[in-house]
Amino acid sequence: MELKIPLADIDFNQEEEEAVLRVLRSRWLTMGAVTQEFEQAFAQYVGAKHALAVSNCTQALHLACLALGIGEHDEVILPSLSFVATANCVLYCGANPVFADIFGNHDLTISPQEIEKKITAKTRAIIMMHYGGYACQIEEILEIARKNRLAVIEDAAHAPGAVFANRHVGTWGDVGCYSFFSNKNLVTGEGGMLVTDRDDVAERVKQLRSHGMTSLTWDRHRGHAYTYDVMALGYNYRIDEIRSALGLAQLRKLEGNNARRRYLTDIYRQRLSEGEFFGIETPFLSNACLPACHLFPILLPAAADRQELITGLRKRGIQTSIHYPPIHLFSYYQQRFPGIQLPQTEQVAARELTLPLYPMMSEADVGYVLDGVCEEMRQAVH
Ligand SMILES: *Cc1c(COP(=O)(O)O)cnc(C)c1O
């Protein structure tokens, strides 16, 4: 059956089309005025001193680790229930990821108590990943970091626009990293943003994202610089003007789209609490933040056959996904870091199913998904 309700969908229309056309007609395609405008608008929106655009969030995470001086023999504590990039960025720097368990069924974010257990003399930083757009226990984690003199990186790939205690998620730690990949809340195709209040980190990131050079193409173009030196081993992690233009248009829609995601999430939750849904659990019922509602995760009862449910829903044209297969169980990670056990992460990952959620979904779409879940569950529970 053709896909009726995808897992995610993009809110692009004439605004994005015109934004891209303006860039194409300007004939300046990379690291120019549009990127600067996007960075400034994003910094202002989240309330960060600096926002630096890159080609994806993985690069932002890599640069965050580098700029914080994370290197060989260092350890970084992070959740395993995340996208693999959260851990890969640590390995890129020659450091070791140390996985800490999540809370459990009610909260799929990293547990501060579990973080504390993993701290050693080699620990340099903590990465908090705001799962599904719901904030981690930010204050507790920052307190642990302060006591142990650790840096904090926020993987806020799911959380642009999420707010905790009047401050944007992603601006609490030393560095915050956002993703603008095609299925995220703010979409540029590939794209990412690093935010920080620290001038030293911002300077380092600016240099490293552009080959370690002292002056930029854009400055030379404007006659502000005529030559350059290379001060460090840098990368080409720059974004281009086309995607920055998409980012600006999408940023204008973010608040409205996040509000719509929250509304649809409430409808999902309400209907799941009313009907007979075979003991399905919905995490994050009492999260203290204003969430970005990137994902709608549910936890199936142990007796349910998840694969059967996924296949049954797919036959009804409903796409679902799993967030996430734990990083420590991937072959590559198991070979490098064998024998890790994270009981909560493993039991949650075995039962998690992500239902469709995107701003253009209708209430009827939510109803169709839940009717499908209900009917398929009758067959999938053994
Ligand atoms: C999407 C995602 C990333 C990587 O983002 P890219 O922009 O695709 O590099 C990192 N962490 C999490 C939690 C993500 O969901």
Side-chain angles (χ1 to χ4, degrees):
M1 182 177 183
E2 113 186 46
L3 208 52
K4 262 199 191 137
I5 306 188
L7 184 71
D9 200 7
I10 301 170
D11 179 17
F12 276 4
N13 56 22
Q14 216 178 339
E15 287 173 54
E16 282 78 8
E17 288 175 17
E18 281 167 8
V20 167
L21 276 178
R22 271 196 300 277
V23 171
L24 297 184
R25 288 171 183 151
S26 80
R27 308 182 68 78
W28 184 266
L29 294 184
T30 192
M31 291 302 277
V34 183
T35 297
Q36 272 188 352
E37 196 186 334
F38 182 34
E39 290 178 338
Q40 279 161 15
F42 197 88
Q44 191 177 19
Y45 173 65
V46 299
K49 189 166 176 197
H50 306 278
L52 298 162
V54 287
S55 267
N56 55 64
C57 181
T58 306
Q59 295 173 351
L61 289 163
H62 183 197
L63 293 178
C65 291
L66 289 174
L68 291 169
I70 292 161
E72 260 174 59
H73 310 301
D74 290 342
E75 291 176 357
V76 177
I77 300 174
L78 70 165
S80 176
L81 195 73
S82 183
F83 184 58
V84 68
T86 314
N88 282 350
C89 67
V90 176
L91 291 179
Y92 296 160
C93 302
N96 287 323
V98 175
F99 297 107
D101 213 348
I102 58 167
F103 278 99
N105 297 0
H106 61 294
D107 186 332
L108 311 187
T109 65
I110 193 167
S111 151
Q113 287 73 33
E114 296 300 316
I115 291 174
E116 275 189 308
K117 288 185 199 163
K118 303 284 168 128
I119 293 173
T120 72
K122 292 179 181 170
T123 309
R124 292 287 169 274
I126 300 166
I127 304 180
M128 26 179 179
M129 197 285 270
H130 305 289
Y131 183 108
Y134 299 89
C136 292
Q137 294 296 312
I138 292 175
E139 284 165 321
E140 287 84 341
I141 294 171
L142 289 179
E143 179 60 19
I144 291 167
R146 198 191 54 74
K147 273 195 304 206
N148 295 279
R149 296 163 170 258
L150 307 175
V152 174
I153 298 169
E154 293 181 74
D155 181 342
H158 296 183
V163 175
F164 172 70
N166 289 321
R167 195 160 147 187
H168 272 258
V169 167
T171 65
W172 288 83
D174 293 273
V175 183
C177 303
Y178 299 88
S179 172
F180 308 140
F181 184 67
S182 306
N183 61 10
K184 300 284 170 34
N185 287 30
L186 188 164
V187 171
T188 65
E190 297 283 355
M193 192 74 81
L194 181 152
V195 302
T196 184
D197 284 346
R198 282 177 54 174
D199 297 337
D200 61 327
V201 168
E203 276 316 303
R204 188 85 180 138
V205 167
K206 266 187 220 172
Q207 198 178 60
L208 291 177
R209 80 170 163 183
S210 202
H211 307 285
M213 286 157 66
T214 47
S215 76
L216 307 173
T217 320
W218 173 237
D219 292 324
R220 289 194 300 283
H221 175 74
R222 288 182 300 175
H224 294 175
Y226 299 94
T227 185
Y228 59 86
D229 192 9
V230 170
M231 307 291 285
L233 177 65
Y235 303 84
N236 180 355
Y237 280 177
R238 298 181 302 242
I239 199 167
D240 59 62
E241 296 283 271
I242 300 165
R243 285 179 283 176
S244 292
L246 288 172
L248 272 168
Q250 286 274 290
L251 185 58
R252 285 190 280 274
K253 295 178 178 175
L254 184 63
E255 285 280 300
N257 281 344
N258 280 354
R260 177 77 186 166
R261 287 171 177 276
R262 286 191 289 272
Y263 173 74
L264 294 167
T265 297
D266 284 346
I267 294 182
Y268 262 127
R269 291 216 170 110
Q270 192 167 347
R271 279 219 40 204
L272 278 165
S273 70
E274 282 166 358
E276 163 57 284
F277 281 97
F278 306 92
I280 286 175
E281 291 173 74
T282 51
F284 299 115
L285 285 175
S286 62
N287 191 272
C289 79
L290 180 73
C293 292
H294 172 55
L295 302 174
F296 186 70
I298 60 172
L299 300 180
L300 304 175
D305 183 330
R306 178 168 61 184
Q307 194 48 55
E308 204 176 308
L309 182 61
I310 291 172
T311 308
L313 290 171
R314 186 64 189 76
K315 283 190 188 135
R316 293 167 187 269
I318 300 165
Q319 188 183 30
T320 56
S321 183
I322 295 165
H323 291 89
Y324 289 89
I327 300 171
H328 73 285
L329 298 180
F330 286 131
S331 302
Y332 179 77
Y333 276 86
Q334 270 195 332
Q335 273 156 26
R336 275 189 77 162
F337 307 99
I340 296 171
Q341 287 183 343
L342 300 164
Q344 290 301 333
T345 297
E346 288 165 25
Q347 67 90 10
V348 160
R351 302 199 289 130
E352 195 274 345
L353 185 71
T354 305
L355 300 183
L357 182 62
Y358 48 92
M360 297 79 67
M361 244 181 128
S362 67
E363 292 167 42
D365 290 338
V366 173
Y368 181 76
V369 171
L370 287 182
D371 288 345
V373 168
C374 197
E375 284 166 41
E376 294 300 331
M377 279 294 280
R378 275 188 235 290
Q379 286 151 46
V381 177
H382 302 298

